[in-house]
Amino acid sequence: TAGITQAPTSQILAAGRSMTLRCTQDMRHNAMYWYRQDLGLGLRLIHYSNTAGTTGKGEVPDGYSVSRANTDDFPLTLASAVPSQTSVYFCASSVDRGYGYTFGSGTRLTVV
Amino acid sequence: AQRVTQPEKLLSVFKGAPVELKCNYSYSGSPELFWYVQYSRQRLQLLLRHISRESIKGFTADLNKGETSFHLKKPFAQEEDSAMYYCALLIRSGNEKLTFGTGTRLTIIP
């Protein structure tokens, strides 16, 4: 069972460049989420999508955009990267309320 | 505002000793709480949910509404318990979202 696949695993990106982090799930979960993980700050929600065709802003959405064209894919785009976006990014999905989330393996992004 | 507090960033415990990872929350609604674990360089995994009242890998957590706490406990620590632990609160106000605490890094000393 693949679950959630994130790509790339890691990336070094020059400031000002754009990048899309990919997230694909094969569990037919309706809801998907993007979090960033930073030392001392825990996981903070960037954007979410309750179902295909809808998206919403989380706690730290600035500088990021998402789309949800279908159930399986939930890409996260940085239009013009800045060093403060250096982080580990986790994609997650959930089947239903109260069952918790399934997480991807993360993308480690370094903006220089 | 909803908030999850994990007061300890680092916790070191000797092997065989009891473990308690603290978690407090603030939420005006009916709370649903989770513990997630992240082993070194691995993805986050759900450890347990308060509604299932289960014991996973020897860990338990009881929701105390009076103290607004959901502490994670294990009577005898094992070396493989070394990991990052996150407490999370499920918010059901229209959109379902998990709010995470800042995490506690647990190190088991052999």
Side-chain angles (χ1 to χ4, degrees):
Chain A
T1 302
I4 293 184
T5 302
Q6 288 186 239
T9 303
S10 65
Q11 181 75 45
I12 298 175
L13 185 67
R17 299 296 294 269
S18 66
M19 179 176 181
T20 295
L21 282 63
R22 299 185 297 279
C23 175
T24 300
Q25 54 112 349
D26 62 0
M27 299 172 287
R28 307 303 292 174
H29 287 178
N30 281 327
M32 297 186 75
Y33 312 85
W34 274 105
Y35 286 86
R36 58 177 291 174
Q37 183 186 40
D38 301 288
L39 193 64
L41 298 176
L43 282 88
R44 293 178 292 168
L45 182 64
I46 304 170
H47 285 288
Y48 64 92
S49 169
N50 288 327
T51 189
T54 68
T55 62
K57 294 182 179 180
E59 183 184 354
V60 288
D62 294 344
Y64 306 95
S65 63
V66 292
S67 62
R68 187 85 184 279
N70 56 62
T71 297
D72 298 344
D73 301 302
F74 191 44
L76 176 73
T77 298
L78 289 69
S80 179
V82 295
S84 62
Q85 292 178 307
T86 293
S87 185
V88 181
Y89 291 86
F90 285 99
C91 181
S93 69
S94 65
V95 60
D96 201 353
R97 300 168 185 234
Y99 282 85
Y101 292 3
T102 298
F103 281 85
S105 56
T107 294
R108 185 176 295 275
L109 178 66
T110 303
V111 182
V112 297
Chain B
Q2 306 88 354
R3 188 171 60 243
V4 177
T5 302
Q6 293 180 251
E8 304 140 328
K9 289 188 176 181
L10 303 171
L11 181 64
S12 295
V13 174
F14 283 101
K15 178 182 176 180
V19 177
E20 183 178 49
L21 299 167
K22 291 184 169 56
C23 173
N24 289 90
Y25 66 91
S26 62
Y27 181 46
S28 58
S30 182
E32 293 184 54
L33 288 142
F34 303 79
W35 276 99
Y36 282 81
V37 60
Q38 185 180 28
Y39 300 103
S40 180
R41 295 195 174 276
Q42 294 187 25
R43 68 185 70 196
L44 277 83
Q45 306 171 34
L46 177 64
L47 182 60
L48 51 80
R49 306 174 288 154
H50 93 267
I51 60 174
S52 60
R53 303 181 67 81
E54 58 201 341
S55 174
I56 303 295
K57 299 183 179 182
F59 285 98
T60 60
D62 292 319
L63 177 61
N64 186 322
K65 291 186 178 181
E67 297 182 357
T68 59
S69 68
F70 188 57
H71 303 328
L72 183 69
K73 300 178 182 179
K74 184 171 183 177
F76 307 103
Q78 299 172 284
E79 289 186 60
E80 54 264 34
D81 295 330
S82 292
M84 193 76 173
Y85 291 81
Y86 290 97
C87 183
L89 169 68
L90 181 65
I91 297 168
R92 289 177 177 252
S93 56
N95 301 309
E96 173 191 305
K97 292 187 289 290
L98 269 180
T99 294
F100 285 86
T102 53
T104 298
R105 181 169 297 282
L106 175 65
T107 301
I108 305 303
I109 305 166

